[in-house]
Amino acid sequence: MKRTLLLATAIAIGAMATAATAAGLPPLEQKDRYKVGFAQMESNNPWRIAETKSFHDTAESCGWDLIATDAAGSAAKQVADVDSMIAQGIDVLFLPPREEKPLIPAVKKAKAAGIPTFLVDRSVDPNAAKAGEDFVAFLGSDFIDQGKRVAEWTIENFKGDKGVIVQLEGTTGSSPANDRKKGFDDRIAEDGRFEIVASQSGDFARDLGRQVMETLLQAHPDVNIVYAHNDEMAIGAIQALELAGRKPGDDVLVVSIDGTRDALQAIIDGKMGVTVESSPFFGPLACETMKRYAAGETIEPWVQVKDRIFTADNAAAHVDEAY
Ligand code: GZL
């Protein structure tokens, strides 16, 4: 019996090593407890806070001794936080890279230190670092599709003959901002009624979104559609519009992404038209994917999260579960 068990263990370790080293990725042995790094970028909105909580809530059930840091909006500090985790000898790294390029060195350092990295919720420049080679996989949504779905809803539901669009972009250089812009811009361009007259970053933050909207409203008083890359900026835009005497939901259509509680309430109140979900609850998926990897499975380069869409038809049914 003992000999059989030893042989089975050797085969499992061999398989694990084969799967990981075949792709040049650091292996991860199966064990009861893991020292896990989660290097959060910031806590500037409910989405970030919900994501961080999801990792903490998963830690015990997944056998994680979790080291969680918060870079307070600084990509440079996020890199430093990863360095510190490497020095502490973590077994595995979960990293939501704030921007696509500055976090490349952190990804490469982790690999060089023999630490498998999973990118969560945002990714890095695919020309500089690749899933399956530099990091194990990207766990997250299809941001291009999110932007496209917002555009499709807008095309279907905007009743006017001329759509004057102001776009509030997410964090400059981040993969969701880049891709939500691409997905929306490419699809909305297919309908000649629409023109994007301004597109500016609100850094995924409510108050900056409000300030940017106030400025853009001065320059474009004829705006009748606001596309925000996340709900926090959309809520800020609604505040700015109402302060200027506009009636969001009546004379201006506000469309967004995430699915926060405040956004679903704004939809219920008739002030927002749609929000495409972008779930922050990555803890359980991170646990499941890490365990698959430790068991020797080859992980698909993109572990894709599927997103629902919230409108007046279903917002009330989901507002209580929202973050
Ligand atoms: C999406 C995530 C984005 C959210 C924002 O995965 O990176 O960052 O849409 C958050 O709310 O700030």
Short mmCIF file of all heavy atoms in Angstrom, two decimals, residues 228-294:
data_model
loop_
_atom_site.label_atom_id
_atom_site.label_comp_id
_atom_site.label_asym_id
_atom_site.label_seq_id
_atom_site.Cartn_x
_atom_site.Cartn_y
_atom_site.Cartn_z
N ALA A 228 -20.12 55.96 -18.97
CA ALA A 228 -19.08 55.91 -17.93
C ALA A 228 -18.49 54.50 -17.87
O ALA A 228 -19.24 53.52 -17.90
CB ALA A 228 -19.67 56.28 -16.57
N HIS A 229 -17.16 54.39 -17.76
CA HIS A 229 -16.52 53.06 -17.71
C HIS A 229 -16.80 52.35 -16.39
O HIS A 229 -16.45 51.18 -16.25
CB HIS A 229 -15.01 53.18 -17.92
CG HIS A 229 -14.61 53.54 -19.33
ND1 HIS A 229 -13.30 53.58 -19.73
CD2 HIS A 229 -15.35 53.90 -20.40
CE1 HIS A 229 -13.25 53.92 -21.01
NE2 HIS A 229 -14.47 54.13 -21.43
N ASN A 230 -17.29 53.06 -15.39
CA ASN A 230 -17.77 52.34 -14.19
C ASN A 230 -18.87 53.12 -13.50
O ASN A 230 -19.06 54.32 -13.73
CB ASN A 230 -16.62 51.99 -13.25
CG ASN A 230 -16.23 53.13 -12.31
OD1 ASN A 230 -16.35 54.30 -12.67
ND2 ASN A 230 -15.75 52.77 -11.13
N ASP A 231 -19.61 52.41 -12.64
CA ASP A 231 -20.80 53.01 -12.00
C ASP A 231 -20.45 54.19 -11.10
O ASP A 231 -21.24 55.14 -10.98
CB ASP A 231 -21.52 51.94 -11.17
CG ASP A 231 -22.14 50.86 -12.02
OD1 ASP A 231 -22.38 51.09 -13.23
OD2 ASP A 231 -22.39 49.76 -11.49
N GLU A 232 -19.30 54.13 -10.43
CA GLU A 232 -18.95 55.25 -9.54
C GLU A 232 -18.88 56.56 -10.32
O GLU A 232 -19.42 57.59 -9.90
CB GLU A 232 -17.62 54.96 -8.83
CG GLU A 232 -17.78 54.04 -7.63
CD GLU A 232 -18.66 54.65 -6.55
OE1 GLU A 232 -18.19 55.58 -5.85
OE2 GLU A 232 -19.82 54.24 -6.42
N MET A 233 -18.25 56.53 -11.49
CA MET A 233 -18.18 57.76 -12.30
C MET A 233 -19.56 58.12 -12.85
O MET A 233 -19.91 59.30 -12.96
CB MET A 233 -17.17 57.58 -13.44
CG MET A 233 -15.74 57.42 -12.99
SD MET A 233 -14.57 57.51 -14.36
CE MET A 233 -15.03 56.02 -15.27
N ALA A 234 -20.37 57.09 -13.13
CA ALA A 234 -21.73 57.36 -13.64
C ALA A 234 -22.56 58.08 -12.57
O ALA A 234 -23.28 59.04 -12.86
CB ALA A 234 -22.41 56.06 -14.03
N ILE A 235 -22.44 57.64 -11.32
CA ILE A 235 -23.16 58.30 -10.21
C ILE A 235 -22.66 59.74 -10.05
O ILE A 235 -23.46 60.67 -9.87
CB ILE A 235 -22.96 57.51 -8.89
CG1 ILE A 235 -23.50 56.07 -9.02
CG2 ILE A 235 -23.62 58.25 -7.72
CD1 ILE A 235 -24.97 55.92 -9.17
N GLY A 236 -21.36 59.92 -10.17
CA GLY A 236 -20.80 61.29 -10.10
C GLY A 236 -21.34 62.15 -11.22
O GLY A 236 -21.68 63.32 -11.02
N ALA A 237 -21.46 61.56 -12.41
CA ALA A 237 -21.99 62.31 -13.56
C ALA A 237 -23.45 62.70 -13.33
O ALA A 237 -23.87 63.82 -13.64
CB ALA A 237 -21.86 61.47 -14.83
N ILE A 238 -24.21 61.78 -12.75
CA ILE A 238 -25.62 62.07 -12.46
C ILE A 238 -25.72 63.26 -11.50
O ILE A 238 -26.53 64.18 -11.69
CB ILE A 238 -26.32 60.82 -11.89
CG1 ILE A 238 -26.55 59.79 -13.01
CG2 ILE A 238 -27.65 61.18 -11.20
CD1 ILE A 238 -27.01 58.43 -12.52
N GLN A 239 -24.82 63.30 -10.51
CA GLN A 239 -24.81 64.43 -9.57
C GLN A 239 -24.54 65.74 -10.32
O GLN A 239 -25.23 66.74 -10.13
CB GLN A 239 -23.74 64.21 -8.49
CG GLN A 239 -24.06 63.07 -7.53
CD GLN A 239 -22.89 62.71 -6.64
OE1 GLN A 239 -21.74 63.10 -6.89
NE2 GLN A 239 -23.15 61.95 -5.58
N ALA A 240 -23.56 65.70 -11.20
CA ALA A 240 -23.20 66.91 -11.96
C ALA A 240 -24.35 67.34 -12.87
O ALA A 240 -24.68 68.54 -12.96
CB ALA A 240 -21.95 66.64 -12.80
N LEU A 241 -24.98 66.40 -13.51
CA LEU A 241 -26.08 66.70 -14.43
C LEU A 241 -27.25 67.34 -13.66
O LEU A 241 -27.81 68.37 -14.06
CB LEU A 241 -26.54 65.45 -15.15
CG LEU A 241 -25.57 64.91 -16.22
CD1 LEU A 241 -25.87 63.43 -16.52
CD2 LEU A 241 -25.64 65.74 -17.50
N GLU A 242 -27.58 66.76 -12.50
CA GLU A 242 -28.72 67.30 -11.72
C GLU A 242 -28.39 68.69 -11.18
O GLU A 242 -29.23 69.59 -11.18
CB GLU A 242 -29.07 66.32 -10.59
CG GLU A 242 -29.68 65.03 -11.13
CD GLU A 242 -30.08 64.04 -10.04
OE1 GLU A 242 -29.33 63.93 -9.03
OE2 GLU A 242 -31.13 63.39 -10.19
N LEU A 243 -27.11 68.88 -10.76
CA LEU A 243 -26.71 70.22 -10.29
C LEU A 243 -26.87 71.27 -11.39
O LEU A 243 -27.12 72.44 -11.14
CB LEU A 243 -25.24 70.19 -9.81
CG LEU A 243 -24.99 69.63 -8.41
CD1 LEU A 243 -23.50 69.40 -8.17
CD2 LEU A 243 -25.56 70.59 -7.35
N ALA A 244 -26.74 70.80 -12.63
CA ALA A 244 -26.86 71.73 -13.78
C ALA A 244 -28.29 71.82 -14.28
O ALA A 244 -28.56 72.40 -15.34
CB ALA A 244 -25.94 71.26 -14.90
N GLY A 245 -29.20 71.20 -13.56
CA GLY A 245 -30.62 71.32 -13.93
C GLY A 245 -31.08 70.32 -14.98
O GLY A 245 -32.20 70.41 -15.49
N ARG A 246 -30.17 69.34 -15.30
CA ARG A 246 -30.58 68.34 -16.27
C ARG A 246 -31.34 67.23 -15.57
O ARG A 246 -31.28 67.10 -14.33
CB ARG A 246 -29.35 67.76 -16.99
CG ARG A 246 -28.51 68.78 -17.74
CD ARG A 246 -29.23 69.34 -18.94
NE ARG A 246 -29.51 68.28 -19.91
CZ ARG A 246 -28.67 67.91 -20.88
NH1 ARG A 246 -27.48 68.47 -20.96
NH2 ARG A 246 -29.00 66.97 -21.74
N LYS A 247 -32.07 66.41 -16.33
CA LYS A 247 -32.85 65.32 -15.74
C LYS A 247 -32.38 63.97 -16.28
O LYS A 247 -32.91 63.47 -17.29
CB LYS A 247 -34.33 65.54 -16.05
CG LYS A 247 -34.94 66.77 -15.38
CD LYS A 247 -36.46 66.71 -15.35
CE LYS A 247 -37.06 67.95 -14.64
NZ LYS A 247 -36.26 68.35 -13.45
N PRO A 248 -31.34 63.36 -15.63
CA PRO A 248 -30.84 62.06 -16.08
C PRO A 248 -31.99 61.05 -16.13
O PRO A 248 -32.79 60.97 -15.20
CB PRO A 248 -29.83 61.66 -14.99
CG PRO A 248 -29.42 62.94 -14.37
CD PRO A 248 -30.61 63.85 -14.45
N GLY A 249 -32.08 60.35 -17.28
CA GLY A 249 -33.17 59.40 -17.49
C GLY A 249 -34.28 60.00 -18.32
O GLY A 249 -35.06 59.28 -18.93
N ASP A 250 -34.33 61.36 -18.36
CA ASP A 250 -35.33 62.04 -19.21
C ASP A 250 -34.65 62.72 -20.38
O ASP A 250 -34.84 62.36 -21.53
CB ASP A 250 -36.11 63.09 -18.40
CG ASP A 250 -37.04 62.43 -17.39
OD1 ASP A 250 -37.37 61.22 -17.60
OD2 ASP A 250 -37.38 63.05 -16.39
N ASP A 251 -33.77 63.72 -20.07
CA ASP A 251 -33.15 64.45 -21.19
C ASP A 251 -31.70 64.04 -21.43
O ASP A 251 -31.02 64.61 -22.28
CB ASP A 251 -33.28 65.98 -20.98
CG ASP A 251 -32.56 66.44 -19.71
OD1 ASP A 251 -31.70 65.70 -19.19
OD2 ASP A 251 -32.87 67.55 -19.24
N VAL A 252 -31.22 63.07 -20.62
CA VAL A 252 -29.86 62.55 -20.87
C VAL A 252 -29.83 61.09 -20.41
O VAL A 252 -30.34 60.74 -19.35
CB VAL A 252 -28.78 63.40 -20.16
CG1 VAL A 252 -29.06 63.59 -18.69
CG2 VAL A 252 -27.38 62.83 -20.39
N LEU A 253 -29.25 60.23 -21.26
CA LEU A 253 -29.18 58.79 -20.99
C LEU A 253 -27.82 58.48 -20.38
O LEU A 253 -26.79 58.84 -20.95
CB LEU A 253 -29.34 58.06 -22.33
CG LEU A 253 -29.63 56.56 -22.35
CD1 LEU A 253 -30.86 56.22 -21.54
CD2 LEU A 253 -29.77 56.09 -23.78
N VAL A 254 -27.82 57.85 -19.20
CA VAL A 254 -26.55 57.49 -18.53
C VAL A 254 -26.39 55.96 -18.60
O VAL A 254 -27.28 55.23 -18.18
CB VAL A 254 -26.53 57.97 -17.07
CG1 VAL A 254 -25.22 57.57 -16.39
CG2 VAL A 254 -26.72 59.49 -17.00
N VAL A 255 -25.27 55.51 -19.17
CA VAL A 255 -25.02 54.08 -19.34
C VAL A 255 -23.66 53.74 -18.78
O VAL A 255 -22.72 54.56 -18.85
CB VAL A 255 -25.12 53.68 -20.83
CG1 VAL A 255 -26.54 53.91 -21.35
CG2 VAL A 255 -24.13 54.43 -21.69
N SER A 256 -23.50 52.54 -18.20
CA SER A 256 -22.30 52.26 -17.41
C SER A 256 -22.01 50.76 -17.29
O SER A 256 -22.65 49.93 -17.93
CB SER A 256 -22.49 52.89 -16.01
OG SER A 256 -21.34 52.71 -15.22
N ILE A 257 -21.01 50.48 -16.41
CA ILE A 257 -20.52 49.10 -16.21
C ILE A 257 -20.19 48.90 -14.73
O ILE A 257 -19.73 49.85 -14.08
CB ILE A 257 -19.25 48.86 -17.07
CG1 ILE A 257 -19.59 48.97 -18.57
CG2 ILE A 257 -18.64 47.48 -16.77
CD1 ILE A 257 -18.37 49.00 -19.50
N ASP A 258 -20.38 47.79 -14.19
CA ASP A 258 -20.02 47.25 -12.87
C ASP A 258 -21.18 46.51 -12.21
O ASP A 258 -21.04 45.35 -11.86
CB ASP A 258 -19.49 48.33 -11.90
CG ASP A 258 -17.97 48.46 -11.96
OD1 ASP A 258 -17.33 47.64 -12.65
OD2 ASP A 258 -17.41 49.37 -11.30
N GLY A 259 -22.31 47.23 -11.93
CA GLY A 259 -23.43 46.58 -11.24
C GLY A 259 -23.41 46.81 -9.73
O GLY A 259 -23.75 45.92 -8.94
N THR A 260 -22.98 48.01 -9.30
CA THR A 260 -22.98 48.32 -7.86
C THR A 260 -24.40 48.59 -7.37
O THR A 260 -25.32 48.86 -8.15
CB THR A 260 -22.14 49.59 -7.57
OG1 THR A 260 -22.76 50.71 -8.21
CG2 THR A 260 -20.71 49.42 -8.06
N ARG A 261 -24.56 48.56 -6.05
CA ARG A 261 -25.88 48.81 -5.47
C ARG A 261 -26.40 50.20 -5.84
O ARG A 261 -27.57 50.35 -6.21
CB ARG A 261 -25.79 48.68 -3.94
CG ARG A 261 -27.11 48.90 -3.22
CD ARG A 261 -26.89 48.86 -1.73
NE ARG A 261 -26.41 47.55 -1.31
CZ ARG A 261 -27.20 46.55 -0.90
NH1 ARG A 261 -28.52 46.76 -0.85
NH2 ARG A 261 -26.73 45.39 -0.54
N ASP A 262 -25.52 51.21 -5.76
CA ASP A 262 -25.98 52.57 -6.10
C ASP A 262 -26.41 52.68 -7.56
O ASP A 262 -27.34 53.43 -7.88
CB ASP A 262 -24.86 53.59 -5.80
CG ASP A 262 -24.69 53.83 -4.31
OD1 ASP A 262 -25.53 53.34 -3.53
OD2 ASP A 262 -23.69 54.47 -3.92
N ALA A 263 -25.75 51.94 -8.43
CA ALA A 263 -26.13 51.98 -9.85
C ALA A 263 -27.48 51.29 -10.05
O ALA A 263 -28.35 51.82 -10.76
CB ALA A 263 -25.07 51.30 -10.70
N LEU A 264 -27.67 50.15 -9.40
CA LEU A 264 -28.97 49.47 -9.56
C LEU A 264 -30.09 50.34 -9.00
O LEU A 264 -31.18 50.42 -9.59
CB LEU A 264 -28.94 48.10 -8.86
CG LEU A 264 -27.94 47.07 -9.44
CD1 LEU A 264 -28.13 45.72 -8.77
CD2 LEU A 264 -28.06 46.95 -10.93
N GLN A 265 -29.81 51.05 -7.91
CA GLN A 265 -30.82 51.95 -7.34
C GLN A 265 -31.09 53.11 -8.31
O GLN A 265 -32.25 53.51 -8.50
CB GLN A 265 -30.38 52.50 -5.99
CG GLN A 265 -31.50 53.24 -5.24
CD GLN A 265 -32.73 52.36 -5.01
OE1 GLN A 265 -32.63 51.28 -4.46
NE2 GLN A 265 -33.89 52.81 -5.46
N ALA A 266 -30.05 53.61 -8.97
CA ALA A 266 -30.23 54.70 -9.94
C ALA A 266 -31.07 54.21 -11.12
O ALA A 266 -31.89 54.95 -11.67
CB ALA A 266 -28.88 55.21 -10.43
N ILE A 267 -30.91 52.96 -11.50
CA ILE A 267 -31.74 52.39 -12.57
C ILE A 267 -33.19 52.29 -12.10
O ILE A 267 -34.12 52.69 -12.81
CB ILE A 267 -31.21 51.01 -13.01
CG1 ILE A 267 -29.86 51.16 -13.73
CG2 ILE A 267 -32.22 50.29 -13.90
CD1 ILE A 267 -29.16 49.84 -14.03
N ILE A 268 -33.38 51.80 -10.87
CA ILE A 268 -34.74 51.71 -10.31
C ILE A 268 -35.38 53.10 -10.24
O ILE A 268 -36.56 53.27 -10.56
CB ILE A 268 -34.68 51.07 -8.89
CG1 ILE A 268 -34.24 49.60 -8.98
CG2 ILE A 268 -36.01 51.20 -8.16
CD1 ILE A 268 -33.79 49.01 -7.67
N ASP A 269 -34.57 54.12 -9.90
CA ASP A 269 -35.09 55.49 -9.80
C ASP A 269 -35.24 56.15 -11.17
O ASP A 269 -35.64 57.32 -11.26
CB ASP A 269 -34.14 56.35 -8.94
CG ASP A 269 -34.04 55.84 -7.51
OD1 ASP A 269 -34.92 55.06 -7.09
OD2 ASP A 269 -33.05 56.18 -6.82
N GLY A 270 -34.88 55.45 -12.24
CA GLY A 270 -35.05 55.99 -13.60
C GLY A 270 -33.96 56.96 -14.03
O GLY A 270 -34.11 57.66 -15.04
N LYS A 271 -32.85 57.03 -13.28
CA LYS A 271 -31.79 57.99 -13.61
C LYS A 271 -30.67 57.38 -14.45
O LYS A 271 -29.85 58.09 -15.01
CB LYS A 271 -31.19 58.57 -12.32
CG LYS A 271 -32.20 59.37 -11.50
CD LYS A 271 -31.56 59.94 -10.26
CE LYS A 271 -32.58 60.79 -9.47
NZ LYS A 271 -31.94 61.38 -8.26
N MET A 272 -30.58 56.05 -14.47
CA MET A 272 -29.56 55.37 -15.27
C MET A 272 -30.26 54.33 -16.13
O MET A 272 -31.26 53.73 -15.70
CB MET A 272 -28.52 54.69 -14.33
CG MET A 272 -27.30 54.17 -15.06
SD MET A 272 -26.17 53.20 -14.03
CE MET A 272 -25.42 54.46 -13.03
N GLY A 273 -29.76 54.10 -17.34
CA GLY A 273 -30.42 53.19 -18.26
C GLY A 273 -29.97 51.75 -18.11
O GLY A 273 -30.79 50.83 -18.07
N VAL A 274 -28.64 51.57 -18.01
CA VAL A 274 -28.12 50.20 -18.02
C VAL A 274 -26.76 50.17 -17.32
O VAL A 274 -26.01 51.14 -17.32
CB VAL A 274 -27.95 49.70 -19.49
CG1 VAL A 274 -26.91 50.56 -20.23
CG2 VAL A 274 -27.55 48.24 -19.53
N THR A 275 -26.45 49.02 -16.68
CA THR A 275 -25.07 48.77 -16.26
C THR A 275 -24.77 47.30 -16.56
O THR A 275 -25.53 46.41 -16.18
CB THR A 275 -24.80 49.12 -14.78
OG1 THR A 275 -23.40 48.92 -14.51
CG2 THR A 275 -25.62 48.31 -13.80
N VAL A 276 -23.67 47.08 -17.29
CA VAL A 276 -23.22 45.71 -17.57
C VAL A 276 -22.36 45.26 -16.40
O VAL A 276 -21.46 45.96 -15.96
CB VAL A 276 -22.40 45.66 -18.88
CG1 VAL A 276 -21.73 44.30 -19.07
CG2 VAL A 276 -23.31 45.97 -20.08
N GLU A 277 -22.65 44.09 -15.86
CA GLU A 277 -21.95 43.59 -14.67
C GLU A 277 -20.46 43.38 -14.93
O GLU A 277 -20.06 42.96 -16.02
CB GLU A 277 -22.58 42.26 -14.24
CG GLU A 277 -21.98 41.68 -12.97
CD GLU A 277 -22.62 40.37 -12.57
OE1 GLU A 277 -23.02 39.61 -13.47
OE2 GLU A 277 -22.73 40.12 -11.35
N SER A 278 -19.65 43.69 -13.91
CA SER A 278 -18.23 43.33 -13.91
C SER A 278 -17.93 42.91 -12.48
O SER A 278 -17.63 43.72 -11.63
CB SER A 278 -17.37 44.54 -14.30
OG SER A 278 -16.08 44.12 -14.69
N SER A 279 -18.08 41.59 -12.22
CA SER A 279 -18.05 41.12 -10.84
C SER A 279 -16.71 41.36 -10.15
O SER A 279 -15.65 41.09 -10.72
CB SER A 279 -18.37 39.62 -10.80
OG SER A 279 -18.21 39.16 -9.47
N PRO A 280 -16.74 41.82 -8.88
CA PRO A 280 -15.52 41.98 -8.09
C PRO A 280 -15.21 40.76 -7.22
O PRO A 280 -14.18 40.72 -6.55
CB PRO A 280 -15.85 43.18 -7.19
CG PRO A 280 -17.33 43.05 -6.95
CD PRO A 280 -17.91 42.44 -8.21
N PHE A 281 -16.08 39.78 -7.22
CA PHE A 281 -15.97 38.67 -6.26
C PHE A 281 -15.01 37.59 -6.77
O PHE A 281 -15.41 36.50 -7.18
CB PHE A 281 -17.35 38.08 -5.97
CG PHE A 281 -18.32 39.12 -5.47
CD1 PHE A 281 -19.42 39.49 -6.25
CD2 PHE A 281 -18.10 39.77 -4.27
CE1 PHE A 281 -20.29 40.48 -5.81
CE2 PHE A 281 -18.98 40.76 -3.82
CZ PHE A 281 -20.08 41.11 -4.59
N PHE A 282 -13.71 37.93 -6.78
CA PHE A 282 -12.71 37.03 -7.36
C PHE A 282 -12.15 35.99 -6.40
O PHE A 282 -11.45 35.07 -6.83
CB PHE A 282 -11.55 37.86 -7.95
CG PHE A 282 -11.86 38.42 -9.31
CD1 PHE A 282 -12.40 39.69 -9.43
CD2 PHE A 282 -11.67 37.66 -10.45
CE1 PHE A 282 -12.72 40.20 -10.68
CE2 PHE A 282 -11.99 38.16 -11.70
CZ PHE A 282 -12.51 39.43 -11.81
N GLY A 283 -12.45 36.10 -5.12
CA GLY A 283 -11.86 35.17 -4.15
C GLY A 283 -12.09 33.70 -4.49
O GLY A 283 -11.13 32.93 -4.68
N PRO A 284 -13.35 33.27 -4.61
CA PRO A 284 -13.61 31.86 -4.90
C PRO A 284 -12.99 31.37 -6.21
O PRO A 284 -12.41 30.28 -6.28
CB PRO A 284 -15.15 31.78 -4.95
CG PRO A 284 -15.60 32.95 -4.10
CD PRO A 284 -14.59 34.04 -4.32
N LEU A 285 -13.04 32.19 -7.25
CA LEU A 285 -12.45 31.78 -8.55
C LEU A 285 -10.93 31.66 -8.42
O LEU A 285 -10.31 30.75 -8.97
CB LEU A 285 -12.81 32.79 -9.63
CG LEU A 285 -12.31 32.47 -11.04
CD1 LEU A 285 -12.90 31.17 -11.57
CD2 LEU A 285 -12.61 33.64 -12.00
N ALA A 286 -10.33 32.57 -7.64
CA ALA A 286 -8.88 32.50 -7.42
C ALA A 286 -8.51 31.20 -6.71
O ALA A 286 -7.55 30.51 -7.08
CB ALA A 286 -8.42 33.71 -6.60
N CYS A 287 -9.30 30.85 -5.71
CA CYS A 287 -9.06 29.62 -4.94
C CYS A 287 -9.17 28.39 -5.86
O CYS A 287 -8.25 27.55 -5.91
CB CYS A 287 -10.06 29.51 -3.80
SG CYS A 287 -9.91 27.99 -2.83
N GLU A 288 -10.25 28.33 -6.59
CA GLU A 288 -10.50 27.18 -7.48
C GLU A 288 -9.39 27.04 -8.52
O GLU A 288 -8.85 25.95 -8.75
CB GLU A 288 -11.85 27.39 -8.18
CG GLU A 288 -12.22 26.36 -9.22
CD GLU A 288 -13.37 26.86 -10.12
OE1 GLU A 288 -14.17 27.71 -9.68
OE2 GLU A 288 -13.42 26.41 -11.28
N THR A 289 -8.98 28.15 -9.11
CA THR A 289 -7.96 28.11 -10.17
C THR A 289 -6.60 27.73 -9.60
O THR A 289 -5.86 26.95 -10.19
CB THR A 289 -7.89 29.48 -10.88
OG1 THR A 289 -9.21 29.89 -11.25
CG2 THR A 289 -7.03 29.40 -12.13
N MET A 290 -6.28 28.26 -8.41
CA MET A 290 -5.01 27.91 -7.77
C MET A 290 -4.94 26.41 -7.48
O MET A 290 -3.93 25.74 -7.73
CB MET A 290 -4.85 28.70 -6.46
CG MET A 290 -3.53 28.47 -5.75
SD MET A 290 -3.66 28.75 -3.95
CE MET A 290 -4.41 27.20 -3.44
N LYS A 291 -6.06 25.86 -6.99
CA LYS A 291 -6.08 24.44 -6.66
C LYS A 291 -5.98 23.56 -7.91
O LYS A 291 -5.30 22.52 -7.91
CB LYS A 291 -7.34 24.11 -5.84
CG LYS A 291 -7.28 24.69 -4.44
CD LYS A 291 -8.27 24.11 -3.49
CE LYS A 291 -7.96 24.54 -2.05
NZ LYS A 291 -8.98 24.06 -1.08
N ARG A 292 -6.61 24.00 -8.99
CA ARG A 292 -6.48 23.27 -10.26
C ARG A 292 -5.01 23.24 -10.68
O ARG A 292 -4.49 22.21 -11.10
CB ARG A 292 -7.32 23.93 -11.35
CG ARG A 292 -8.82 23.71 -11.26
CD ARG A 292 -9.55 24.56 -12.29
NE ARG A 292 -9.04 24.30 -13.63
CZ ARG A 292 -9.11 25.19 -14.64
NH1 ARG A 292 -9.63 26.40 -14.44
NH2 ARG A 292 -8.65 24.88 -15.83
N TYR A 293 -4.36 24.39 -10.54
CA TYR A 293 -2.95 24.49 -10.94
C TYR A 293 -2.07 23.60 -10.06
O TYR A 293 -1.21 22.87 -10.57
CB TYR A 293 -2.49 25.95 -10.86
CG TYR A 293 -1.11 26.20 -11.41
CD1 TYR A 293 -0.84 26.05 -12.78
CD2 TYR A 293 -0.06 26.56 -10.58
CE1 TYR A 293 0.42 26.26 -13.29
CE2 TYR A 293 1.21 26.78 -11.09
CZ TYR A 293 1.45 26.63 -12.44
OH TYR A 293 2.71 26.84 -12.95
N ALA A 294 -2.33 23.63 -8.77
CA ALA A 294 -1.52 22.82 -7.84
C ALA A 294 -1.73 21.33 -8.10
O ALA A 294 -0.83 20.51 -7.88
CB ALA A 294 -1.89 23.16 -6.40
#
